[in-house]
Amino acid sequence: MNQRQTEMGLLVMQIFLPLLVLITLGATPQATLLKDPPQTEIISSAENLARLRQRLAFEPWQVVLWDEVINEESSQRLWAQVISDGEEALKWQALSDESKWLVGEAYQRTGKNRQAWQIWSSVDVSIRPLQYHKIILALRYSGELDKAMTTLQRWSAQDPQNGDLFYQQALIECVRSPDAALALLDQAVQRDISFLNNAHILKQAINIRATAQNQAYHLVILGRALGSLNEWDLAWISFSQAVKVKPDYAEAWAFLSEAGHQVGQEEYEPLQRALALNPHSISALSFAGLYWMRAERPDLAYTYFYQLTQLEPQRAIWRFQTGDALAQMGQPLYGMVHYQKAMTLAPDDPQSWRLMAVYCLKYHIEQRRIGLPAARRLVLMSPNDPQAYDLHGSLLLSLQDEDSALRIFENGLKVVPHSALLYLDAGQIYVKQQRWEDARISLQKALDLAREEKNENLIDSALALLRQIS
């Protein structure tokens, strides 16, 4: 591999791996704790559904009744039942546009993107971001890029000042015709300056083609840019194109593996291909470690991450990942040795302090002596990050200091007053302290903000607690 390709591999890993290691380590502890909130039975909803079904048995042509049933099931996230009832209602031609939209969402949430597009295509959709994003994603994941592009062009004609519609077109053109994407990115930024950073990332990747030594190298760079923006389905296409152009390109196979994981495609075979082509590929070794961590084989992951610490001894991230692998093997004390080594390598990076605090919290090790100071340092370095306050408060809760944790959450809300996470954190403590009015206000605020953020986990947690105290 030439020097340019080696530098590209390192650059890509610097962009991807901090995100991936945070996902692997679970770097939002309080949110993780809330992922499966206590469930409370909603008797009124069950009774309401039973009553509606009795009426439908005699009046299956009633659109209003099907609407009520599907709305109720959707609110409870009973997606399989939504699909079943939606298909039954369609037989009676008794499904409104709003219910068709909900049935399409149920298809999408269960991985049936083609069916989602088919039912949404029959809906008279108003041009709203939530709706067109879902439709375009359903088309993209179904491989219908041409149809997605045609749909976006039609909507752009109806709403010519909508920068997001041009940005969505640019994303697709990145893998169809990159030169065409450049003009669309400019149009998106002209209409909405918020796309400036994303446009810069993509334009840099596209423009590298002028100096790239081969097409496969450019395709990997472009796929990396798309992956960094969480457009993994398009990144997968770009990496797939790269391995077709240059089948012996280990870096391309390594990134194809990770993109495959992200979109539900084959990941093990491309990973094995990458390692066979270049056993010392930084990208292949790192993704192999992540693969085995996700497969709950930290012993195998350890062998790859430790090898990386030897190949790149100055990179803190390999020490963090080696430490986590050891911890998951039941050796958190040995893992802490690697974490402390990582801290000496990157003491000015807020992520180092975040990962250390998370490690202490997750494995119940040195929480007071090391974890709390790390969390405090993180808050000082990232004062506008609600997850920093969440982590600090979570450590205090783990140490049975409920009052101090509440002060941290409340102080965080003074700095970040629109954080659903911190309102939820505070609301949980209010519930424990039986401060019911404070709890209702905080949890309702958390719910409203979580809906704005479209954060499903926080929505579910806030709803569960509100039902619990109602």
Side-chain angles (χ1 to χ4, degrees):
M1 183 183 302
N2 60 41
Q3 181 66 26
R4 177 181 291 275
Q5 290 173 333
T6 300
E7 292 176 355
M8 179 280 295
L10 295 179
L11 173 63
V12 174
M13 296 318 302
Q14 288 171 352
I15 291 175
F16 272 157
L17 283 168
L19 172 63
L20 294 172
V21 70
L22 284 173
I23 293 171
T24 304
L25 297 179
T28 53
Q30 190 73 356
T32 302
L33 292 173
L34 296 171
K35 186 174 182 181
D36 297 310
Q39 296 297 313
T40 55
E41 186 178 5
I42 309 173
I43 303 298
S44 60
S45 294
E47 290 176 345
N48 187 40
L49 279 172
R51 176 183 59 80
L52 290 168
R53 291 188 185 284
Q54 287 179 345
R55 292 182 61 187
L56 278 170
F58 295 98
E59 302 176 284
W61 56 86
Q62 288 283 4
V63 175
V64 174
L65 293 178
W66 284 114
D67 278 352
E68 287 192 56
V69 167
I70 289 171
N71 267 297
E72 188 69 60
E73 291 168 345
S74 295
S75 70
Q76 296 184 48
R77 290 165 167 70
L78 302 173
W79 303 120
Q81 197 60 49
V82 170
I83 291 171
S84 176
D85 285 334
E87 291 175 348
E88 181 64 25
L90 280 172
K91 294 177 184 177
W92 291 92
Q93 298 183 345
L95 204 59
S96 69
D97 278 356
E98 186 62 33
S99 289
K100 286 179 183 177
W101 181 260
L102 293 174
V103 174
E105 184 174 353
Y107 278 129
Q108 189 181 51
R109 285 175 177 268
T110 53
K112 300 176 180 177
N113 291 298
R114 189 176 296 278
Q115 292 93 321
W117 158 248
Q118 287 173 344
I119 195 166
W120 282 338
S121 66
S122 67
V123 177
D124 181 17
V125 179
S126 60
I127 305 300
R128 296 203 300 266
L130 178 61
Q131 292 185 338
Y132 66 65
H133 279 156
K134 286 180 176 292
I135 291 175
I136 295 306
L137 278 177
L139 283 170
R140 279 170 35 179
Y141 273 78
S142 299
E144 302 278 4
L145 295 188
D146 291 342
K147 190 173 290 185
M149 196 68 182
T150 300
T151 303
L152 283 164
Q153 289 169 342
R154 185 177 72 248
W155 288 342
S156 292
Q158 298 172 19
D159 189 7
Q161 296 307 311
N162 190 331
D164 189 37
L165 294 173
F166 287 93
Y167 178 70
Q168 295 298 323
Q169 292 178 62
L171 289 172
I172 294 172
E173 290 291 46
C174 280
V175 297
R176 292 201 327 168
S177 177
D179 286 337
L182 292 171
L184 288 164
L185 288 168
D186 287 338
Q187 292 182 69
V189 173
Q190 288 170 7
R191 290 163 173 80
D192 188 341
I193 196 65
S194 68
F195 290 111
L196 182 61
N197 183 61
N198 287 11
H200 177 70
I201 292 171
L202 293 171
K203 289 172 75 172
Q204 272 194 322
I206 293 169
N207 288 331
I208 282 175
R209 181 165 52 175
T211 57
Q213 296 180 355
N214 59 64
Q215 184 183 0
Y217 170 79
H218 172 255
L219 288 167
V220 169
I221 289 290
L222 187 56
R224 178 266 296 170
L226 290 163
S228 72
L229 298 175
N230 208 34
E231 306 292 348
W232 283 104
D233 60 311
L234 299 175
W236 183 85
I237 293 173
S238 193
F239 297 137
S240 297
Q241 293 170 346
V243 298
K244 288 178 182 177
V245 171
K246 189 172 173 57
D248 61 347
Y249 194 3
E251 299 294 311
W253 285 106
F255 282 102
L256 179 62
S257 169
E258 180 58 29
H261 167 76
Q262 297 290 338
V263 299
Q265 298 284 351
E266 173 63 34
E267 63 175 310
Y268 185 70
E269 184 178 339
L271 182 59
Q272 290 296 98
R273 186 77 170 268
L275 289 167
L277 287 167
N278 184 0
H280 302 294
S281 163
I282 298 298
S283 303
L285 291 170
S286 59
F287 287 134
L290 288 173
Y291 174 84
W292 289 115
M293 287 291 278
R294 289 188 290 233
E296 298 183 357
R297 288 297 306 272
D299 54 324
L300 296 178
Y302 170 81
T303 63
Y304 292 105
F305 291 141
Y306 185 74
Q307 187 176 345
L308 285 164
T309 68
Q310 304 305 299
L311 290 171
E312 294 188 335
Q314 298 307 310
R315 292 287 306 281
I317 191 169
W318 309 138
R319 290 288 180 177
F320 282 125
Q321 292 192 307
T322 302
D324 197 58
L326 284 167
Q328 291 195 30
M329 291 164 62
Q331 301 290 337
L333 286 174
Y334 288 108
M336 176 62 81
V337 173
H338 286 275
Y339 261 66
Q340 290 178 316
K341 174 64 175 177
M343 296 300 295
T344 67
L345 294 172
D348 298 324
D349 186 351
Q351 290 292 32
S352 297
W353 299 98
R354 184 189 307 277
L355 292 174
M356 177 61 85
V358 169
Y359 188 87
C360 294
L361 177 64
K362 184 175 182 179
Y363 296 107
H364 304 282
I365 181 172
E366 296 285 7
Q367 290 186 345
R368 189 176 300 279
R369 188 174 71 88
I370 297 177
L372 272 180
R376 293 190 191 105
R377 180 71 175 269
L378 176 63
V379 169
L380 290 173
M381 298 176 79
S382 307
N384 296 316
D385 181 3
Q387 291 184 359
Y389 298 96
D390 170 73
L391 180 53
H392 190 184
S394 297
L395 278 160
L396 288 165
L397 284 173
S398 183
L399 292 167
Q400 308 300 314
D401 192 348
E402 190 174 276
D403 291 336
S404 294
L406 180 58
R407 282 197 298 273
I408 294 299
F409 297 144
E410 291 175 337
N411 288 338
L413 283 168
K414 294 175 183 176
V415 181
V416 195
H418 301 294
S419 169
L421 176 60
L422 293 179
Y423 274 110
L424 185 61
D425 287 336
Q428 283 190 303
I429 295 182
Y430 293 143
V431 170
K432 291 179 182 178
Q433 296 178 344
Q434 299 185 3
R435 294 168 57 179
W436 306 122
E437 187 59 27
D438 288 336
R440 272 187 281 272
I441 293 171
S442 190
L443 293 171
Q444 186 60 54
K445 188 69 174 177
L447 178 60
D448 294 341
L449 290 169
R451 283 172 171 162
E452 290 179 17
E453 298 170 7
K454 301 179 180 62
N455 188 318
E456 296 291 337
N457 284 341
L458 294 186
I459 291 171
D460 288 343
S461 298
L463 279 172
L465 286 169
L466 283 167
R467 290 166 183 160
Q468 181 179 319
I469 65 176
S470 62

